[in-house]
Amino acid sequence: MNTELIVALISGGIALVSAGFAMWGQFTSARLAADLQNLQLAEARRLEREKTVSRYREPLARAAHDLQSRLYNILAQGFMHLSAENKTERERSYVLNNTVYLIAQYFAWTEIIRRDIQHIDLGTEEETTKLARLQDNTYRLWQTDRFGSLFRVFAGEQRAIGERMIIETPRGPECIGYSAFLDQNLSEKDPLLNALREDVRECSASLEEARPRLIAIQNVLIDLLDFLDPNYVRFPKERRRKVGQ
């Protein structure tokens, strides 16, 4: 084999190897670019999910905390009994209207979540399913007939009360504040809220009848709080005692 042929074969081999390396480099670059794009998309989805969660998690947790706290005071601290002994109209009015408001506020935030995003996507199917189950438990406890008629609120009524309390703001839908609730006399104008007012009035004299339902609701609200704020960042552990345990 002459020298020129050998040189040509070597040159051809080098060219093939170089072409192979070039193709491998292009393939690797394309794969890295695709991986980077996928990571960027995943991060964007994560940030959007966190934004959505933070938008709804805290007000839902706040509404659950406020309501369970009031139920605890009613069930374990004699709140309704003491209110019946109050001599001032201001105190009686606060007990009545604020209790109705706290119930309606919770319905409002559950309705906002149902309407806007159906449920909070927490990133994993297990976590999301657990939250949906906790929310469903509260719907069920309000509407079941096994606790009698006092504080029985059907699922559609829960939604209707929630809708009545929702206002649109630049940040999106929110629940009206207590001041606006009082200014609009909502609990007197709306038949469903007025029914809640009557239940609160009756509860002061018939707490034992209301106790089983209110205990069950208070307990599941604590479970919801433990899920939404597991590290006790916003709501301290000592304020989350379940009645009956």
Side-chain angles (χ1 to χ4, degrees), residues 57-133:
R57 181 196 293 264
E58 186 161 349
L60 177 62
R62 170 60 62 183
H65 176 269
D66 290 349
L67 180 54
Q68 74 80 22
S69 180
R70 174 57 50 84
L71 295 180
Y72 181 88
N73 288 337
I74 290 172
L75 295 162
Q77 302 295 325
F79 185 75
M80 297 303 294
H81 174 70
L82 292 175
S83 72
E85 303 299 323
N86 288 337
K87 301 301 182 181
T88 69
E89 179 60 28
R90 174 189 173 191
E91 290 170 321
R92 287 193 295 270
S93 176
Y94 177 77
V95 169
L96 178 62
N97 290 316
N98 189 254
T99 301
V100 172
Y101 173 77
L102 294 179
I103 296 172
Q105 176 185 238
Y106 179 76
F107 289 161
W109 279 108
T110 55
E111 175 60 18
I112 288 171
I113 291 171
R114 186 208 65 79
R115 188 181 71 179
D116 283 16
I117 56 176
Q118 302 300 312
H119 53 254
I120 299 176
D121 180 5
L122 297 173
T124 68
E125 184 176 349
E126 180 181 359
E127 294 288 285
T128 302
T129 300
K130 184 175 181 179
L131 176 59
R133 185 168 60 250

Coordinates of all heavy atoms in Angstrom, one line a residue, residues 57-133:
R57 N -54.1 29.5 50.8 CA -53.8 28.8 52.0 C -54.1 29.6 53.3 O -54.8 29.2 54.2 CB -52.4 28.2 52.0 CG -52.1 27.4 53.2 CD -50.6 27.2 53.4 NE -50.0 26.4 52.3 CZ -49.8 25.1 52.4 NH1 -50.1 24.4 53.5 NH2 -49.3 24.4 51.4
E58 N -53.5 30.8 53.3 CA -53.5 31.6 54.5 C -54.9 32.0 54.9 O -55.4 31.9 56.0 CB -52.6 32.8 54.5 CG -52.5 33.5 55.8 CD -51.3 34.4 55.9 OE1 -50.4 34.3 55.1 OE2 -51.3 35.2 56.8
P59 N -55.7 32.6 53.9 CA -57.1 33.0 54.3 C -58.0 31.8 54.7 O -58.8 32.0 55.6 CB -57.6 33.8 53.1 CG -56.7 33.4 52.0 CD -55.4 33.1 52.6
L60 N -57.8 30.7 54.0 CA -58.6 29.5 54.4 C -58.2 29.1 55.8 O -59.0 28.7 56.6 CB -58.3 28.4 53.4 CG -59.0 27.1 53.7 CD1 -60.5 27.2 53.8 CD2 -58.6 26.0 52.7
A61 N -56.9 29.1 56.1 CA -56.4 28.7 57.4 C -56.9 29.7 58.5 O -57.3 29.3 59.6 CB -54.9 28.6 57.5
R62 N -56.9 31.0 58.2 CA -57.3 32.0 59.1 C -58.8 31.8 59.4 O -59.3 31.9 60.5 CB -57.1 33.4 58.5 CG -57.7 34.5 59.3 CD -57.3 34.6 60.7 NE -55.9 34.8 60.8 CZ -55.2 34.9 62.0 NH1 -55.9 34.7 63.1 NH2 -53.9 35.1 62.0
A63 N -59.6 31.5 58.3 CA -61.1 31.3 58.5 C -61.3 30.1 59.4 O -62.2 30.1 60.2 CB -61.7 31.2 57.2
A64 N -60.6 29.0 59.1 CA -60.7 27.8 59.9 C -60.3 28.0 61.3 O -61.0 27.6 62.3 CB -59.9 26.7 59.3
H65 N -59.2 28.8 61.6 CA -58.8 29.0 62.9 C -59.8 29.9 63.7 O -60.1 29.6 64.8 CB -57.4 29.7 62.9 CG -56.9 30.1 64.2 ND1 -57.2 31.4 64.8 CD2 -56.2 29.5 65.2 CE1 -56.7 31.4 66.0 NE2 -56.0 30.3 66.2
D66 N -60.3 30.9 63.1 CA -61.2 31.8 63.7 C -62.5 31.1 64.1 O -63.0 31.2 65.2 CB -61.6 33.0 62.8 CG -60.4 34.0 62.6 OD1 -59.4 33.9 63.4 OD2 -60.5 34.9 61.8
L67 N -63.0 30.2 63.2 CA -64.2 29.5 63.5 C -64.0 28.4 64.6 O -64.8 28.3 65.5 CB -64.8 28.9 62.2 CG -66.1 28.1 62.4 CD1 -67.2 28.9 63.0 CD2 -66.5 27.6 61.0
Q68 N -62.9 27.7 64.5 CA -62.7 26.6 65.5 C -62.5 27.3 66.8 O -62.9 26.7 67.9 CB -61.6 25.7 65.1 CG -60.2 26.3 65.2 CD -59.6 26.3 66.6 OE1 -60.1 25.5 67.5 NE2 -58.6 27.1 66.9
S69 N -61.9 28.4 66.9 CA -61.7 29.1 68.1 C -63.0 29.5 68.8 O -63.2 29.4 70.0 CB -60.8 30.3 67.9 OG -60.5 31.0 69.2
R70 N -63.9 30.0 68.0 CA -65.2 30.4 68.5 C -66.0 29.2 68.9 O -66.6 29.2 70.0 CB -66.0 31.2 67.4 CG -67.5 31.5 67.8 CD -67.5 32.3 69.1 NE -66.7 33.5 69.0 CZ -67.0 34.7 68.5 NH1 -68.2 34.8 67.9 NH2 -66.1 35.7 68.5
L71 N -65.9 28.1 68.2 CA -66.6 26.9 68.6 C -66.0 26.3 69.9 O -66.8 25.8 70.7 CB -66.5 25.8 67.5 CG -67.2 26.2 66.2 CD1 -67.1 25.1 65.2 CD2 -68.7 26.5 66.4
Y72 N -64.7 26.4 70.0 CA -64.1 26.0 71.3 C -64.6 26.8 72.5 O -64.9 26.3 73.5 CB -62.6 26.1 71.2 CG -61.8 25.6 72.4 CD1 -61.5 24.3 72.6 CD2 -61.5 26.5 73.4 CE1 -60.8 23.8 73.7 CE2 -60.9 26.1 74.6 CZ -60.6 24.8 74.7 OH -59.9 24.3 75.9
N73 N -64.7 28.1 72.3 CA -65.2 29.0 73.3 C -66.6 28.7 73.7 O -67.0 28.7 74.9 CB -65.0 30.4 72.9 CG -63.6 30.9 72.9 OD1 -62.7 30.3 73.6 ND2 -63.3 32.0 72.2
I74 N -67.4 28.4 72.7 CA -68.8 28.0 72.9 C -68.9 26.7 73.7 O -69.7 26.5 74.6 CB -69.6 27.9 71.6 CG1 -69.8 29.3 71.0 CG2 -70.9 27.3 71.8 CD1 -70.3 29.3 69.6
L75 N -68.1 25.7 73.2 CA -68.3 24.3 73.8 C -67.5 24.1 75.1 O -68.0 23.4 75.9 CB -67.7 23.3 72.7 CG -68.5 23.3 71.4 CD1 -67.7 22.6 70.3 CD2 -69.8 22.5 71.6
A76 N -66.4 24.8 75.3 CA -65.6 24.5 76.4 C -65.4 25.7 77.4 O -65.0 25.5 78.5 CB -64.2 24.1 76.0
Q77 N -65.8 26.9 77.0 CA -65.6 28.0 77.8 C -66.9 28.7 78.2 O -66.9 29.8 78.8 CB -64.7 29.1 77.1 CG -63.4 28.5 76.7 CD -62.5 28.2 77.9 OE1 -62.6 28.9 78.9 NE2 -61.7 27.2 77.8
G78 N -68.0 28.1 77.9 CA -69.3 28.7 78.3 C -69.6 30.0 77.6 O -70.3 30.8 78.2
F79 N -69.1 30.2 76.4 CA -69.3 31.5 75.7 C -70.7 31.9 75.5 O -71.1 33.0 75.8 CB -68.6 31.4 74.4 CG -68.5 32.7 73.6 CD1 -67.7 33.7 74.0 CD2 -69.3 32.9 72.5 CE1 -67.6 34.9 73.3 CE2 -69.3 34.1 71.8 CZ -68.4 35.1 72.2
M80 N -71.6 30.9 75.1 CA -73.0 31.2 74.8 C -73.7 31.4 76.1 O -74.6 32.3 76.2 CB -73.6 30.1 74.0 CG -73.0 29.9 72.6 SD -73.0 31.4 71.6 CE -74.8 31.7 71.4
H81 N -73.4 30.7 77.1 CA -74.1 30.8 78.4 C -73.8 32.2 79.0 O -74.7 32.9 79.5 CB -73.7 29.7 79.4 CG -74.2 29.9 80.8 ND1 -75.5 29.7 81.1 CD2 -73.6 30.3 81.9 CE1 -75.7 30.0 82.4 NE2 -74.6 30.3 82.9
L82 N -72.5 32.6 78.9 CA -72.2 33.9 79.5 C -72.8 35.0 78.7 O -73.3 36.0 79.3 CB -70.6 34.0 79.5 CG -69.9 33.1 80.4 CD1 -68.4 33.3 80.2 CD2 -70.2 33.4 81.9
S83 N -72.9 34.8 77.4 CA -73.5 35.8 76.6 C -75.0 36.0 76.9 O -75.5 37.1 76.9 CB -73.4 35.5 75.1 OG -74.3 34.4 74.7
A84 N -75.7 35.0 77.3 CA -77.1 35.1 77.7 C -77.2 35.9 79.0 O -78.3 36.5 79.2 CB -77.7 33.7 77.9
E85 N -76.2 36.0 79.8 CA -76.2 36.7 81.0 C -75.8 38.2 80.8 O -75.9 39.0 81.8 CB -75.3 36.1 82.1 CG -75.7 34.6 82.4 CD -77.1 34.5 82.9 OE1 -77.5 35.4 83.7 OE2 -77.8 33.5 82.5
N86 N -75.2 38.5 79.7 CA -74.8 39.9 79.4 C -76.0 40.8 79.5 O -77.1 40.5 79.0 CB -74.1 40.0 78.1 CG -72.7 39.3 78.1 OD1 -72.1 39.1 79.1 ND2 -72.3 38.9 76.9
K87 N -75.7 42.0 80.1 CA -76.8 43.0 80.2 C -76.8 44.0 79.1 O -77.7 44.8 79.0 CB -76.6 43.6 81.6 CG -76.7 42.7 82.8 CD -78.0 41.9 82.8 CE -78.1 41.0 84.0 NZ -79.3 40.2 84.0
T88 N -75.7 44.1 78.3 CA -75.6 45.2 77.3 C -76.0 44.6 76.0 O -75.7 43.5 75.6 CB -74.2 45.8 77.3 OG1 -73.3 44.8 76.7 CG2 -73.7 46.2 78.7
E89 N -76.7 45.5 75.2 CA -77.0 45.1 73.9 C -75.8 44.9 73.0 O -75.8 44.1 72.1 CB -77.9 46.2 73.3 CG -78.4 45.9 71.8 CD -79.2 44.6 71.7 OE1 -79.8 44.2 72.7 OE2 -79.1 44.0 70.6
R90 N -74.8 45.7 73.2 CA -73.5 45.6 72.5 C -73.0 44.2 72.6 O -72.6 43.6 71.6 CB -72.5 46.6 73.0 CG -71.2 46.5 72.3 CD -70.2 47.4 73.0 NE -68.8 47.2 72.5 CZ -67.7 47.7 73.1 NH1 -67.9 48.4 74.2 NH2 -66.5 47.4 72.6
E91 N -72.9 43.6 73.8 CA -72.3 42.3 74.0 C -73.2 41.2 73.3 O -72.7 40.3 72.7 CB -72.2 42.0 75.5 CG -71.0 42.9 76.1 CD -71.0 42.8 77.6 OE1 -72.1 42.7 78.2 OE2 -69.9 42.7 78.2
R92 N -74.5 41.3 73.5 CA -75.4 40.4 72.9 C -75.3 40.4 71.4 O -75.3 39.4 70.7 CB -76.8 40.6 73.4 CG -77.1 40.2 74.8 CD -78.6 40.2 75.1 NE -79.2 41.5 75.0 CZ -79.2 42.3 76.1 NH1 -78.8 42.0 77.3 NH2 -79.8 43.5 75.9
S93 N -75.2 41.6 70.8 CA -75.1 41.8 69.4 C -73.8 41.2 68.8 O -73.8 40.6 67.8 CB -75.3 43.3 69.0 OG -75.1 43.5 67.6
Y94 N -72.7 41.4 69.6 CA -71.5 40.9 69.1 C -71.5 39.4 69.1 O -71.0 38.8 68.1 CB -70.3 41.4 70.0 CG -69.0 40.8 69.6 CD1 -68.3 41.3 68.5 CD2 -68.4 39.7 70.3 CE1 -67.1 40.8 68.1 CE2 -67.2 39.2 69.9 CZ -66.6 39.7 68.8 OH -65.4 39.1 68.4
V95 N -71.9 38.8 70.1 CA -71.9 37.3 70.2 C -72.7 36.7 69.0 O -72.3 35.8 68.3 CB -72.5 36.8 71.5 CG1 -72.8 35.3 71.5 CG2 -71.6 37.1 72.7
L96 N -73.9 37.4 68.8 CA -74.8 36.9 67.7 C -74.2 37.1 66.3 O -74.0 36.2 65.5 CB -76.1 37.6 67.8 CG -77.2 37.2 66.8 CD1 -77.5 35.8 66.8 CD2 -78.4 38.1 66.9
N97 N -73.9 38.4 66.0 CA -73.4 38.7 64.7 C -72.0 38.2 64.3 O -71.8 37.7 63.2 CB -73.5 40.2 64.5 CG -74.9 40.8 64.4 OD1 -75.8 40.2 63.8 ND2 -75.1 41.9 65.2
N98 N -71.1 38.2 65.3 CA -69.8 37.8 65.0 C -69.7 36.3 64.8 O -69.0 35.8 63.9 CB -68.8 38.2 66.1 CG -67.4 38.0 65.7 OD1 -66.7 37.1 66.2 ND2 -66.8 38.8 64.8
T99 N -70.5 35.5 65.5 CA -70.5 34.1 65.3 C -71.1 33.7 64.0 O -70.5 32.9 63.3 CB -71.4 33.4 66.4 OG1 -70.8 33.7 67.7 CG2 -71.4 31.9 66.3
V100 N -72.2 34.4 63.6 CA -72.7 34.2 62.2 C -71.6 34.5 61.2 O -71.5 33.8 60.2 CB -74.0 35.0 62.0 CG1 -74.4 34.9 60.5 CG2 -75.1 34.5 62.9
Y101 N -71.0 35.7 61.4 CA -69.9 36.1 60.4 C -68.8 35.0 60.3 O -68.4 34.7 59.2 CB -69.3 37.4 60.8 CG -68.2 37.8 60.0 CD1 -68.3 38.3 58.7 CD2 -66.8 37.6 60.4 CE1 -67.3 38.7 57.9 CE2 -65.8 38.0 59.7 CZ -66.0 38.5 58.4 OH -64.9 38.8 57.6
L102 N -68.4 34.5 61.4 CA -67.2 33.5 61.3 C -67.6 32.3 60.6 O -66.8 31.7 59.8 CB -66.8 33.2 62.7 CG -66.1 34.3 63.5 CD1 -65.7 33.9 64.9 CD2 -64.9 34.9 62.8
I103 N -68.9 31.8 60.7 CA -69.4 30.7 60.0 C -69.4 31.0 58.5 O -68.9 30.3 57.6 CB -70.7 30.2 60.5 CG1 -70.7 29.7 61.9 CG2 -71.3 29.1 59.6 CD1 -72.0 29.5 62.5
A104 N -70.0 32.2 58.2 CA -70.1 32.6 56.8 C -68.8 32.9 56.1 O -68.6 32.6 54.9 CB -71.0 33.9 56.7
Q105 N -67.8 33.4 56.9 CA -66.5 33.7 56.4 C -65.8 32.4 55.9 O -65.2 32.3 54.9 CB -65.6 34.3 57.5 CG -64.2 34.5 57.0 CD -63.3 35.1 58.2 OE1 -62.7 36.1 58.1 NE2 -63.3 34.4 59.3
Y106 N -66.0 31.3 56.7 CA -65.4 30.0 56.3 C -66.1 29.5 55.1 O -65.4 29.0 54.2 CB -65.6 29.0 57.5 CG -65.0 27.6 57.1 CD1 -63.6 27.4 57.1 CD2 -65.8 26.6 56.7 CE1 -63.1 26.2 56.7 CE2 -65.3 25.4 56.3 CZ -64.0 25.2 56.3 OH -63.4 24.0 55.9
F107 N -67.4 29.6 55.0 CA -68.1 29.2 53.8 C -67.6 30.0 52.6 O -67.5 29.5 51.4 CB -69.6 29.4 53.9 CG -70.2 28.4 54.9 CD1 -71.5 28.7 55.4 CD2 -69.6 27.2 55.2 CE1 -72.1 27.8 56.3 CE2 -70.2 26.3 56.1 CZ -71.5 26.6 56.6
A108 N -67.3 31.3 52.8 CA -66.9 32.1 51.7 C -65.6 31.6 51.1 O -65.4 31.5 49.9 CB -66.8 33.6 52.1
W109 N -64.6 31.3 52.0 CA -63.3 30.9 51.5 C -63.3 29.5 50.8 O -62.6 29.3 49.9 CB -62.2 31.1 52.6 CG -61.8 32.5 52.7 CD1 -62.0 33.3 53.7 CD2 -61.0 33.2 51.7 NE1 -61.5 34.6 53.4 CE2 -60.8 34.5 52.2 CE3 -60.4 32.9 50.5 CZ2 -60.1 35.5 51.5 CZ3 -59.7 33.8 49.8 CH2 -59.5 35.1 50.3
T110 N -64.1 28.6 51.4 CA -64.2 27.3 50.7 C -64.9 27.5 49.4 O -64.5 26.8 48.4 CB -65.0 26.3 51.6 OG1 -66.3 26.9 51.9 CG2 -64.3 26.0 52.9
E111 N -65.8 28.4 49.2 CA -66.5 28.6 47.9 C -65.5 29.3 47.0 O -65.5 29.0 45.8 CB -67.7 29.5 48.1 CG -68.4 29.9 46.8 CD -68.9 28.7 46.0 OE1 -69.0 27.6 46.5 OE2 -69.2 28.9 44.8
I112 N -64.7 30.2 47.4 CA -63.7 30.9 46.5 C -62.8 29.8 46.0 O -62.5 29.8 44.8 CB -63.0 32.0 47.3 CG1 -63.9 33.2 47.6 CG2 -61.7 32.4 46.5 CD1 -63.2 34.2 48.5
I113 N -62.3 29.0 46.8 CA -61.4 27.9 46.4 C -62.1 27.0 45.4 O -61.5 26.6 44.3 CB -60.8 27.2 47.6 CG1 -59.9 28.1 48.4 CG2 -60.1 25.9 47.1 CD1 -59.5 27.5 49.7
R114 N -63.3 26.6 45.7 CA -64.1 25.7 44.8 C -64.3 26.3 43.5 O -64.1 25.7 42.4 CB -65.4 25.3 45.4 CG -66.2 24.3 44.6 CD -67.7 24.4 44.9 NE -68.1 25.7 44.3 CZ -68.4 25.9 43.0 NH1 -68.2 24.9 42.1 NH2 -68.8 27.1 42.6
R115 N -64.7 27.6 43.5 CA -65.0 28.3 42.2 C -63.8 28.6 41.4 O -63.8 28.5 40.2 CB -65.7 29.6 42.6 CG -66.3 30.3 41.4 CD -67.0 31.6 41.8 NE -66.0 32.6 42.2 CZ -66.3 33.9 42.6 NH1 -67.6 34.2 42.7 NH2 -65.4 34.7 42.9
D116 N -62.7 29.0 42.0 CA -61.5 29.5 41.3 C -60.6 28.4 40.8 O -60.1 28.4 39.7 CB -60.8 30.5 42.1 CG -61.4 31.9 42.1 OD1 -62.6 32.0 41.7 OD2 -60.8 32.9 42.4
I117 N -60.3 27.5 41.7 CA -59.3 26.5 41.4 C -59.8 25.1 41.7 O -59.0 24.1 41.7 CB -58.0 26.8 42.1 CG1 -58.1 26.9 43.6 CG2 -57.3 28.0 41.5 CD1 -56.8 27.0 44.3
Q118 N -61.0 24.9 42.1 CA -61.6 23.6 42.5 C -61.0 23.1 43.8 O -61.6 22.7 44.7 CB -61.5 22.6 41.4 CG -62.2 23.1 40.1 CD -63.7 23.3 40.3 OE1 -64.4 22.5 40.9 NE2 -64.1 24.4 39.8
H119 N -59.7 23.0 43.8 CA -58.9 22.7 45.0 C -57.5 23.2 44.9 O -57.1 23.6 43.8 CB -58.9 21.2 45.2 CG -58.4 20.4 44.1 ND1 -59.2 19.7 43.2 CD2 -57.1 20.3 43.5 CE1 -58.4 19.2 42.2 NE2 -57.2 19.5 42.4
I120 N -56.9 23.4 46.0 CA -55.5 23.9 46.0 C -54.6 22.7 45.5 O -54.6 21.7 46.1 CB -55.1 24.4 47.4 CG1 -56.0 25.5 47.8 CG2 -53.6 24.8 47.4 CD1 -55.6 26.0 49.2
D121 N -53.8 23.0 44.4 CA -52.9 22.0 44.0 C -51.6 22.1 44.8 O -50.9 23.1 44.6 CB -52.6 22.2 42.5 CG -51.6 21.2 41.9 OD1 -51.2 20.3 42.6 OD2 -51.3 21.4 40.7
L122 N -51.4 21.2 45.6 CA -50.2 21.2 46.5 C -49.0 20.5 45.9 O -48.0 20.4 46.6 CB -50.5 20.6 47.9 CG -51.6 21.3 48.6 CD1 -52.0 20.5 49.9 CD2 -51.2 22.7 49.0
G123 N -49.1 20.1 44.7 CA -47.9 19.5 44.0 C -47.8 18.0 43.9 O -47.2 17.5 43.1
T124 N -48.5 17.4 44.9 CA -48.5 15.9 44.9 C -50.0 15.5 45.0 O -50.8 16.1 45.6 CB -47.7 15.3 46.0 OG1 -48.4 15.6 47.3 CG2 -46.3 15.8 46.1
E125 N -50.3 14.4 44.4 CA -51.6 13.9 44.4 C -52.1 13.5 45.8 O -53.2 13.8 46.2 CB -51.7 12.6 43.5 CG -53.1 12.1 43.4 CD -53.2 10.9 42.4 OE1 -52.2 10.6 41.7 OE2 -54.3 10.2 42.4
E126 N -51.2 13.0 46.6 CA -51.5 12.6 48.0 C -51.9 13.8 48.8 O -52.9 13.8 49.5 CB -50.3 11.9 48.6 CG -50.6 11.5 50.1 CD -49.4 10.8 50.7 OE1 -48.4 10.6 50.0 OE2 -49.5 10.4 51.9
E127 N -51.1 14.9 48.7 CA -51.4 16.1 49.5 C -52.7 16.8 49.1 O -53.5 17.2 49.9 CB -50.2 17.1 49.4 CG -49.0 16.6 50.0 CD -49.1 16.6 51.6 OE1 -49.0 17.7 52.1 OE2 -49.2 15.6 52.2
T128 N -52.9 16.9 47.8 CA -54.1 17.5 47.2 C -55.3 16.7 47.6 O -56.3 17.3 47.9 CB -53.9 17.6 45.7 OG1 -52.8 18.4 45.4 CG2 -55.1 18.3 45.1
T129 N -55.2 15.4 47.5 CA -56.4 14.5 47.9 C -56.7 14.7 49.3 O -57.9 14.7 49.7 CB -56.0 13.1 47.5 OG1 -55.8 12.9 46.1 CG2 -57.2 12.2 47.9
K130 N -55.7 14.8 50.2 CA -55.9 14.9 51.6 C -56.7 16.2 51.9 O -57.6 16.3 52.7 CB -54.6 14.9 52.4 CG -54.8 14.9 53.9 CD -53.5 14.8 54.6 CE -53.7 14.8 56.1 NZ -52.5 14.6 56.9
L131 N -56.3 17.3 51.3 CA -57.0 18.6 51.5 C -58.4 18.5 51.0 O -59.3 19.0 51.7 CB -56.2 19.7 50.7 CG -56.9 21.1 50.8 CD1 -57.1 21.6 52.2 CD2 -56.1 22.1 50.0
A132 N -58.6 17.9 49.8 CA -60.0 17.8 49.3 C -60.8 17.0 50.3 O -62.0 17.3 50.5 CB -59.9 17.2 47.9
R133 N -60.3 16.0 50.9 CA -61.0 15.1 51.8 C -61.4 15.9 53.1 O -62.5 15.8 53.6 CB -60.2 13.9 52.2 CG -60.9 12.9 53.0 CD -60.2 11.5 53.1 NE -58.9 11.7 53.7 CZ -57.8 11.5 53.1 NH1 -57.8 11.2 51.8 NH2 -56.6 11.6 53.7

